[in-house]
Amino acid sequence: MEPSQSSSKESPPGSNGDVYMPYEVAEGVESDGDKADSPREEVEEAPGDPVEIEQIFKHGEGEAVKLEGEAVKAPAGTHPMVSKLLEENPVFQRFPVLKETPQQRESFPCKRDPNARINVWELLKNSVGKDISRIAMPVYLNDPVSMLQKIAELLEFADFLRLANQCPDPHLRLVYIAAFFFAANPYTIRRLKKPFNPILGETFEFCQGGIHFVAEQVSHHPPISAFYCESPDFTFEGYYNMKSTMSMSGFVVTPKGPFTIKLRRTNETFSFTKPQTSVHNLIMGTTYIWHYGDSTLVNQTTGDRLLLNFKPKGWTSARDYEVDGRVNDSSGAEKLKLFGKWDSFLSIVLPGGEEKRIFSAPPLPPEAAENYFFSKFVLNLNHLPPSLLSDLPPTDTRLRPDQRAYEFGDLKLATEEKHRLEENQRRRKAAAEAAKRPHTPMWFYVSSSNGKDPTFTYNGKYFPLKEARAWPKNIPDLFG
């Protein structure tokens, strides 16, 4: 995403210029949005050999991208671990950061084949009933983003939170915050691969357009990703504790952990819960994803509440993707109705019966099918231009070698590096257990009481230390 200032009446991304805003809004940050209309990826119906690299990447010759240009040297202020990674790691030797690397990119360096047919039966047949987070999956079943970056994908629609902060109507504030979460749903239809599992202690930052976001993998088993985001209009924090269980028909993702938003102007706090997600037909047929159940957003300050129900898939497609909901005040009185389809739009019905569109899914950029159906915003989350080298801690996902090798089409090297990183993680865990030294997150406090699941709260240290370029001496070397 290239940050740019929008006019005072400009709509947020995905609104197609007709989002209902019955008041003046201040200047904010413009974002790009996406949606595509391409065929879904299919899987083979019978067992077979593991997929080859030429079946995954569009070049079709089993060869990774060959870079031409001058490799950049680590600039002054680069962390020594990052400098060493650039100089010695085989991935950065083969795919160096070039001086000519632009600040933003329009596509991945190696495009995927949108017609790839992946046989997953031999890989998954022994995983039925198991937690997927504990299963080592091949690199080619991943999207080239980590779970930490997947959380940051929500920020593509952060303008909805800016609108909520400036909105004088308390019930419309709930609608705009709900739209912030809702807007990512259309992309998921064609995003059927899993993200990379972060290494324990891995981090990801996003700092653009007044938004400062940091996420950290704070637990390995169960896998928990904590995050914190601040801007002049809001704070957004929480953690993902995702449990994914395999069955013969696919797998179900059960999200756990709170999402909390605080608006600066009104000083209100909101809590949000996601619906459930299931992925079907992994073994045979056309693979598809479905969101179902209730999603709730509660104003913890006033007691007002928004409920949005995602309908289960029926026997026919006539009512596919439908959602409906309502906004109630603290006394339970209904103030607004909501309706839409999670693949395309969200609208409200005002008390007088008038319908107003809040969100319409924007189109995906050209060649989206060859770029994992990513929006331009998402496509740039793992982009590593030279200007970031001296800004990032050595734990940032952009420096992760296996993910970079995958982006550049070297599946063999990506697999080797993934195995190396995971083996190093196991050794660190064994050493910590032998020393009876539990893992302590670098950027989040951990608290638990009465036997309940632990909670994770930002400790306020990341951004000040980033500004001072004074990363802690005990910051781990995860990728070297």
Side-chain angles (χ1 to χ4, degrees):
M1 180 183 73
E2 188 70 37
S4 61
Q5 294 301 313
S6 57
S7 64
S8 61
K9 293 186 179 181
E10 188 165 8
S11 305
S15 67
N16 290 345
D18 59 358
V19 67
Y20 178 57
M21 294 185 293
Y23 56 91
E24 295 291 322
V25 297
E27 292 187 352
V29 180
E30 184 181 17
S31 303
D32 296 318
D34 312 284
K35 188 174 182 289
D37 193 21
S38 301
R40 297 172 183 171
E41 185 170 343
E42 294 189 356
V43 297
E44 292 285 349
E45 297 184 7
D49 296 329
V51 67
E52 299 294 336
I53 187 170
E54 58 264 30
Q55 296 173 278
I56 296 294
F57 299 113
K58 192 177 179 182
H59 51 66
E61 299 176 358
E63 296 180 359
V65 171
K66 292 182 173 61
L67 295 181
E68 295 182 0
E70 183 180 356
V72 68
K73 294 182 179 180
T78 302
H79 194 281
M81 291 181 194
V82 177
S83 298
K84 184 178 180 181
L85 192 71
L86 298 178
E87 294 170 1
E88 300 180 4
N89 183 270
V91 173
F92 283 94
Q93 287 294 298
R94 186 170 187 187
F95 308 113
V97 179
L98 301 180
K99 286 185 176 180
E100 300 84 359
T101 304
Q103 284 296 109
Q104 299 286 312
R105 62 183 176 186
E106 301 296 326
S107 67
F108 280 110
C110 187
K111 296 179 180 178
R112 68 186 287 274
D113 182 354
N115 298 313
R117 294 174 63 83
I118 300 175
N119 189 322
V120 298
W121 171 246
E122 289 297 326
L123 296 167
L124 300 180
K125 67 180 182 180
N126 295 321
S127 303
V128 174
K130 296 180 180 179
D131 183 350
I132 293 178
S133 68
R134 293 182 176 269
I135 302 169
M137 294 291 187
V139 170
Y140 57 76
L141 292 185
N142 290 342
D143 270 343
V145 292
S146 78
M147 186 62 200
L148 304 178
Q149 292 167 323
K150 197 167 183 67
I151 299 172
E153 290 180 19
L154 289 169
L155 299 177
E156 180 168 355
F157 295 96
D159 275 357
F160 278 117
L161 298 184
R162 178 179 60 86
L163 292 179
N165 186 53
Q166 298 179 35
C167 179
D169 185 295
H171 307 119
L172 273 178
R173 286 200 288 273
L174 281 165
V175 171
Y176 289 140
I177 296 174
F180 164 72
F181 292 103
F182 184 88
N185 288 318
Y187 303 159
T188 62
I189 291 177
R190 294 164 183 86
R191 296 276 302 278
L192 300 176
K193 296 179 182 293
K194 63 180 287 294
F196 277 75
N197 292 330
I199 300 296
L200 183 63
E202 184 175 331
T203 62
F204 177 73
E205 69 166 55
F206 177 86
C207 299
Q208 286 186 21
I211 292 174
H212 293 82
F213 169 95
V214 63
E216 178 183 2
Q217 191 71 2
V218 293
S219 173
H220 182 51
H221 287 307
I224 301 176
S225 307
F227 66 93
Y228 172 81
C229 179
E230 62 185 23
S231 85
D233 290 289
F234 61 87
T235 61
F236 171 39
E237 60 186 316
Y239 54 92
Y240 265 100
N241 181 355
M242 305 291 281
K243 183 176 182 181
S244 304
T245 305
M246 277 287 302
S247 69
M248 287 297 294
S249 62
F251 63 87
V252 175
V253 178
T254 304
K256 295 176 64 178
F259 283 33
T260 303
I261 288 175
K262 186 172 183 177
L263 299 181
R264 303 278 198 184
R265 184 185 66 83
T266 64
N267 204 34
E268 294 170 308
T269 299
F270 301 80
S271 60
F272 174 79
T273 59
K274 294 171 63 69
Q276 281 198 311
T277 298
S278 56
V279 179
H280 301 264
N281 296 344
L282 282 176
I283 307 305
M284 61 183 65
T286 300
T287 306
Y288 70 93
I289 193 169
W290 210 261
H291 306 298
Y292 60 95
D294 288 341
S295 175
T296 59
L297 178 65
V298 179
N299 186 329
Q300 300 290 351
T301 306
T302 67
D304 296 344
R305 177 183 297 263
L306 181 149
L307 184 143
L308 198 60
N309 179 254
F310 290 67
K311 305 300 180 183
K313 184 168 177 58
W315 290 104
T316 68
S317 60
R319 302 189 67 180
D320 276 0
Y321 313 115
E322 284 191 357
V323 298
D324 61 34
R326 60 188 181 274
V327 175
N328 298 93
D329 66 16
S330 58
S331 69
E334 185 175 279
K335 296 298 180 180
L336 296 169
K337 293 181 182 292
L338 297 95
F339 70 95
K341 291 193 171 187
W342 59 260
D343 72 326
S344 52
F345 77 95
L346 182 66
S347 294
I348 61 171
V349 181
L350 299 175
E354 185 179 7
E355 297 178 0
K356 294 292 184 180
R357 180 63 55 90
I358 297 298
F359 165 78
S360 295
L364 279 168
E367 300 183 334
E370 299 170 1
N371 287 288
Y372 301 85
F373 295 104
F374 284 8
S375 68
K376 183 180 177 182
F377 180 92
V378 177
L379 192 138
N380 277 282
L381 289 178
N382 199 53
H383 185 47
L384 184 59
S387 60
L388 284 180
L389 292 175
S390 60
D391 282 347
L392 297 176
T395 52
D396 193 273
T397 300
R398 297 174 183 88
L399 299 166
R400 183 168 169 164
D402 55 347
Q403 200 167 311
R404 183 173 180 85
Y406 186 42
E407 277 196 358
F408 281 87
D410 194 328
L411 191 58
K412 181 176 182 293
L413 186 55
T415 300
E416 292 171 352
E417 282 294 290
K418 180 175 181 288
H419 178 73
R420 181 182 68 84
L421 296 180
E422 290 171 346
E423 284 298 308
N424 287 345
Q425 178 172 235
R426 293 186 186 101
R427 281 194 286 269
R428 287 192 297 270
K429 179 183 178 182
E433 289 178 346
K436 298 182 178 180
R437 185 179 65 250
H439 175 72
T440 301
M442 185 72 64
W443 309 113
F444 290 84
Y445 293 122
V446 185
S447 60
S448 59
S449 60
N450 300 324
K452 296 182 179 180
D453 291 338
T455 60
F456 303 89
T457 308
Y458 176 57
N459 62 20
K461 297 179 181 179
Y462 184 91
F463 297 113
L465 291 178
K466 171 183 170 65
E467 182 70 22
R469 296 197 177 182
W471 300 116
K473 292 182 179 180
N474 63 335
I475 199 165
D477 185 5
L478 302 180
F479 307 141

